[in-house]
Amino acid sequence: MTLRAQSHAARPYDCISGTGDRDANQESPESSEQRSHETITRKAQQDRSDNVILRAENETLKNENFRLQTAIRNVICPNCGGPALLGEMSFDEQHLRLENARLKDELERLSCIAARYTSGRPVQALGPTPSLMLPSLDLDMNMYSRPQFAAEAMIGGCAEGEMQFGGGMLMMEQDKGMAVELAMTAAEHLVRLCSVNAPVWVKKKISGEMVMEVLDVEEYGKLFQWPVEIKTMNGEFRSEGTRDTGIVMMNSITLVDAFLDANKWMELFPSIVSKAKTLQILATGISGHGNGSLHLMYAELQVLSPLVPTREAHFLRYCHQNIEEGTWTIVDFPIDGFHDGLQMSPPRYRRRPSGCIIQDMPNGYARVMWVEHADVEDKPVHQVFNQFVTNGIAFGATRWLSILQRQCERHASLMARNIPDLGVIPSPDARKNMMKLSHRMVKTFCANISSASNQSWTALSDSSDDTIRVTTRKSMEPGQPNGVILTAVSTTWLPFSQDQVFDLLTDEQRRSQLDVLSNGNSLHEVAHIANGSHRRNCVSLLRINSNNSSQSVELLLQESSIHPSVLKAP
């Protein structure tokens, strides 16, 4: 192939002759500088033109490469109907493999050439698979500072290890059209589920004053038909469907941005989303805009106890904006019909059309209508959490919305500059850094006590009443000392209300009686950062007042929060 950029580099440029009485071989410094500037300008324009041509050829080779690999993957043996081996292929099929390898080498060579004309920035070689998203490494609450959507961070190709995360599944090109049609159907179902009431939704008193809107499965089946056959899960399973509505202290654009980025989604729901990954971006939507984007995702959902198994699911997430009504729809729906052979981890879990509708309000807040609908294997849960799980509280809409409201309050406090803090906090930057540190502490706490797939818990006895679980893990995270961490978790019922227990644990004078780290010494709050509407939603820096003056000063960092929306009166 002719390298136009190289041939152009050897091309001479015409000279501009002088006029008038000036000698042709002589010129003024101004003319020389002007001519040099024009030469550089023309060279830069030509380089850009060559770069565009190389990129176009690169894209053509990428499409041809992907088409050939798709054809090879679809080759079947005429005798048994299974995948054909190279020795069983015809001459034409073998030729496709060789041509594919040649195109891949040519593609990499062109990428290197194009890199020379992009200010030294290497161009990613586009692999044969559809584009994937790189995970963000931002673990702090400043995840909301950038308004662009995750689709802008796409690259071509991915590492093999990344493809294996969550099953390593990708959708074929021919399935994308069907996926988009199902996405629009799922969005329509979600809008209808948010607008209809009885008999589809029934108010159910769960316990005490808590009332939830629960989905009537039979009525749902009469009104909502899914275009693709849903694969029946063997064994007993139950359907969970709940709905809730609330106001959050965040605008719709920021919320949509968080939902379309798996890492920001985990940051927004640290106590319920233990893992999340965008496996494939099927549609990027409008440029710089989330409308119309469609992502293939994997997630692992948790309850903060090793006694409750996590739920793992692959699903498609679709974003749609209704400009006339001023709403955004974020809907998740199952991948049945695309990957029938997918083996789900126990307990098996399928995410039916679920998600939220977000509508901006004049005061900068947003109204969120949330629907959770799923099929889950009906396996026994420890008696302590049995009602909490089977009633739909553990993974239901109210819990999702409650956590969202709390995190939005926290984010608003992080961005605020007019909140009077108490204690030794010297500046707004110090306040923000302490809140970020506390958030990392909460994330670590959530990860340590869950039953996520990478945690192996051991019971201390075989008794069914025993709730103590222990586990060990190696600490290798940056900023933490290397070593082995032992975690022990116990769950019990107390003859007090949750408000009484919460007040006991957050009272600095009484907590010293409970905290083993205080060793019986009193605690004194030296810094207090309010980060929510409730008086106990705060970050506190506590000093241990030791009776021995020779001991060094010890400090404890504590974050406490309560979700008022968890309790719904009838």
Side-chain angles (χ1 to χ4, degrees), residues 386-552:
N386 184 55
Q387 294 296 321
F388 182 66
V389 174
T390 56
N391 284 337
I393 304 174
F395 297 94
T398 298
R399 184 177 174 222
W400 280 95
L401 186 58
S402 175
I403 295 173
L404 178 62
Q405 289 174 317
R406 175 70 194 103
Q407 288 297 98
C408 290
E409 273 192 349
R410 196 184 191 286
H411 172 250
S413 175
L414 181 69
M415 297 293 104
R417 291 291 183 269
N418 57 350
I419 298 180
D421 297 317
L422 304 177
V424 297
I425 304 173
S427 65
D429 289 338
R431 179 181 186 274
K432 180 179 291 188
N433 290 335
M434 186 173 293
M435 290 189 67
K436 290 179 179 180
L437 176 61
S438 179
H439 180 66
R440 289 197 296 270
M441 177 184 69
V442 171
K443 284 183 57 182
T444 303
F445 173 78
C446 294
N448 284 343
I449 68 173
S450 75
S451 60
S453 58
N454 60 341
Q455 295 275 31
S456 177
W457 293 89
T458 303
L460 296 185
S461 70
D462 296 331
S463 172
S464 59
D465 296 331
D466 179 33
T467 64
I468 302 177
R469 299 291 186 272
V470 295
T471 186
T472 59
R473 68 177 179 87
K474 290 185 177 181
S475 175
M476 310 214 28
E477 291 84 359
Q480 296 187 12
N482 294 335
V484 178
I485 297 178
L486 171 66
T487 305
V489 180
S490 178
T491 306
T492 186
W493 286 101
L494 296 176
F496 303 99
S497 69
Q498 62 180 21
D499 291 335
Q500 289 176 304
V501 176
F502 184 72
D503 287 338
L504 173 64
L505 295 175
T506 54
D507 187 336
E508 61 181 286
Q509 300 301 325
R510 302 172 68 184
R511 170 165 177 167
S512 61
Q513 305 169 16
L514 306 174
D515 199 328
V516 66
L517 296 177
S518 66
N519 197 25
N521 299 317
S522 62
L523 299 177
H524 175 65
E525 187 179 55
V526 296
H528 177 95
I529 301 175
N531 62 6
S533 56
H534 193 276
R535 63 183 180 88
R536 293 292 190 182
N537 287 347
C538 62
V539 176
S540 300
L541 187 62
L542 306 173
R543 184 182 65 197
I544 300 177
N545 296 322
S546 174
N547 297 326
N548 188 352
S549 59
S550 63
Q551 292 182 353
S552 60

Side-chain angles (χ1 to χ4, degrees), residues 6-18:
Q6 293 181 1
S7 62
H8 162 71
R11 182 187 305 150
Y13 290 94
D14 296 333
C15 295
I16 302 176
S17 300

Side-chain angles (χ1 to χ4, degrees), residues 258-399:
F259 280 108
L260 293 181
D261 187 305
N263 294 284
K264 294 180 181 180
W265 188 44
M266 285 193 296
E267 293 278 355
L268 200 58
F269 299 95
S271 60
I272 193 170
V273 182
S274 59
K275 290 182 181 179
K277 180 76 173 181
T278 300
L279 300 177
Q280 187 179 8
I281 297 181
L282 305 178
T284 59
I286 302 174
S287 178
H289 203 274
N291 184 24
S293 61
L294 180 61
H295 297 181
L296 174 62
M297 301 187 70
Y298 163 84
E300 184 178 22
L301 310 181
Q302 66 179 353
V303 171
L304 296 182
S305 171
L307 301 179
V308 181
T310 58
R311 297 179 175 182
E312 298 180 60
H314 294 83
F315 55 90
L316 289 161
R317 173 166 291 179
Y318 176 63
C319 175
H320 172 70
Q321 182 187 22
N322 189 325
I323 299 179
E324 296 180 356
E325 298 183 1
T327 61
W328 288 87
T329 299
I330 304 291
V331 60
D332 302 339
F333 59 97
I335 59 173
D336 293 68
F338 302 104
H339 293 273
D340 295 332
L342 178 65
Q343 298 295 323
M344 291 178 285
S345 302
R348 289 172 293 176
Y349 170 76
R350 176 191 291 123
R351 194 159 173 80
R352 292 292 190 103
S354 304
C356 59
I357 296 178
I358 307 168
Q359 185 174 26
D360 277 324
M361 301 181 68
N363 58 358
Y365 292 10
R367 180 172 181 263
V368 178
M369 295 160 280
W370 200 294
V371 171
E372 278 296 307
H373 185 200
D375 297 332
V376 62
E377 188 175 7
D378 198 6
K379 296 191 67 175
V381 181
H382 196 282
Q383 58 184 3
V384 176
F385 288 97
N386 184 55
Q387 294 296 321
F388 182 66
V389 174
T390 56
N391 284 337
I393 304 174
F395 297 94
T398 298
R399 184 177 174 222

